Amino acid sequence: DEYQWKGPFYFIQGADPQFGLMKAWAIGDINNGDDEWGEEIKLVEQAVQAINKLNPKPKFFVLCGDLIHGMPGTQWRKDQEQDLKNVLKNTDQDIPLVFVSGNHDIGNTPTRETIDNYCKNWGDDYFSFWVGGVFFLVLNSQLYFDSSKCPELKQVQDVWLNEQLAVAEKHKCKHIIVFQHIPLFLRKPDEDHDYFNLEKSVRREIMEKFHKAGIKAVFSGHYHRNAGGSYRGLEMVVSSAIGCQLGEDTHGLRVVVVTDEKIVHRYYSLNELSSQGIEKELLDMLAKQN
């Protein structure tokens, strides 16, 4: 049923609730300072309440990684995960949650064990799904960032991705959209590699593959600021965090409207989305039936 285009719809993208980072960042102890996350709990509660009030309802709510701050094996990790789940349980049951693995969820250099633990807690680290004729791919970007401790898992994801893109071509989907934690790039496809993007040769290979497959947009987080750019018709959208801000943006969520021709999106502060909801211009796009 979901293979068929049925007209415009929208979804909500959030990133980096990262329970524990706000205190760790404030006190300058990124590795051990994450023993409080009351601020983040309030922010995710606000996000859930804002989403639940929206009318029409979004098709789903995707969280693009760094669900919590505690790295695998650290002291507060289990408590952070449990508290995040407790807040997210209040999401309207008609709005599915989609989880993307981030570096704090599976480690900067993931292992089979850290990925297995993530999957037990949050679901698969990569998968695909259809909504109204649009094909969505969720990827584990840590395997592109550093797969040195589990190279075989990167190979398996690569093979799977090629198979999925073949499926998308066969079904003549309306659009293909990708979710991953680490952006391919922040502003320019040929920018230098650093902590916040993928290594240049890896990035080039993925961008080319995505371009050939006709992928329209990649949505990510990780940067804790809004950014983005494009590569040959592929839009790279980097959304700031629900949690700790590292730049000038506000705690927020992105509303993404998918129409017949295009993908239109806007970042809203949590306060704005809570008090005003989605602006008329985007609602009008949703009302247009093809």
Side-chain angles (χ1 to χ4, degrees), residues 18 20-27 39-40 43 243-245 251:
Q18 206 158 340
L21 176 58
M22 288 175 82
K23 183 184 175 195
W25 188 257
I27 66 171
E39 286 291 314
E40 287 94 340
L43 290 162
C244 189
Q245 300 300 313
H251 308 283

Side-chain angles (χ1 to χ4, degrees), residues 5-268:
W5 175 253
K6 304 186 191 76
F9 64 86
Y10 81 103
F11 62 86
I12 303 288
Q13 183 220 3
D16 303 273
Q18 206 158 340
F19 279 23
L21 176 58
M22 288 175 82
K23 183 184 175 195
W25 188 257
I27 66 171
D29 184 358
I30 290 299
N31 297 323
N32 308 298
D34 62 333
D35 58 345
E36 289 173 23
W37 48 90
E39 286 291 314
E40 287 94 340
I41 288 176
K42 284 196 197 107
L43 290 162
V44 179
E45 282 173 345
Q46 188 183 3
V48 167
Q49 284 160 7
I51 291 167
N52 286 348
K53 279 199 316 204
L54 295 173
N55 185 19
K57 287 186 188 3
K59 288 286 187 184
F60 58 88
F61 172 28
V62 57
L63 275 168
C64 281
D66 281 2
L67 306 172
I68 53 156
H69 183 63
M71 286 279 190
T74 57
Q75 184 178 3
W76 304 106
R77 184 178 172 88
K78 285 227 169 0
D79 294 340
Q80 290 168 0
E81 287 180 333
Q82 194 51 56
D83 283 354
L84 178 57
K85 285 180 182 177
N86 289 342
V87 179
L88 291 174
K89 272 181 195 145
N90 298 317
T91 310
D92 185 314
Q93 61 190 35
D94 294 331
I95 304 171
L97 291 165
V98 177
F99 297 108
V100 181
S101 62
N103 56 306
H104 282 262
D105 306 311
I106 57 175
N108 286 323
T109 307
T111 65
R112 187 176 277 279
E113 186 190 7
T114 63
I115 292 173
D116 282 349
N117 283 338
Y118 170 86
C119 294
K120 280 191 198 107
N121 257 310
W122 300 102
D124 291 341
D125 58 322
Y126 57 89
F127 55 95
S128 64
F129 61 98
W130 289 82
V131 174
V134 178
F135 192 46
F136 292 93
L137 291 161
V138 170
L139 298 179
N140 178 345
S141 55
Q142 284 319 114
L143 295 175
Y144 296 125
F145 192 80
D146 182 358
S147 63
S148 57
K149 287 187 177 164
C150 54
E152 73 290 355
L153 295 184
K154 178 187 183 291
Q155 276 177 313
V156 175
Q157 177 172 259
D158 287 344
V159 169
W160 172 86
L161 178 57
N162 291 337
E163 287 166 356
Q164 296 299 306
L165 294 175
V167 166
E169 190 175 26
K170 191 178 97 192
H171 282 289
K172 299 280 178 272
C173 55
K174 186 62 79 175
H175 305 290
I176 312 172
I177 294 173
V178 172
F179 300 119
Q180 59 189 56
H181 178 62
I182 299 183
L184 298 168
F185 58 89
L186 297 173
R187 291 195 167 80
K188 296 195 175 74
D190 59 351
E191 69 197 17
D192 289 341
H193 166 55
D194 65 22
Y195 174 78
F196 287 113
N197 59 19
L198 292 179
E199 195 273 317
K200 270 176 141 173
S201 63
V202 174
R203 180 196 316 166
R204 265 198 300 273
E205 192 183 324
I206 298 171
M207 289 190 310
E208 207 36 51
K209 179 182 285 192
F210 285 4
H211 165 68
K212 283 204 180 96
I215 291 172
K216 292 278 175 68
V218 177
F219 289 88
S220 71
H222 189 52
Y223 191 44
H224 295 255
R225 288 157 277 222
N226 287 309
S230 64
Y231 171 80
R232 302 180 69 185
L234 167 73
E235 189 181 7
M236 180 68 244
V237 184
V238 185
S239 292
S240 197
I242 295 172
C244 189
Q245 300 300 313
L246 301 184
E248 302 302 305
D249 295 294
T250 47
H251 308 283
L253 294 165
R254 194 172 292 277
V255 172
V256 186
V257 175
V258 183
T259 74
D260 193 12
E261 281 101 45
K262 58 190 176 179
I263 293 149
V264 183
H265 51 86
R266 183 174 159 215
Y267 186 83
Y268 289 82

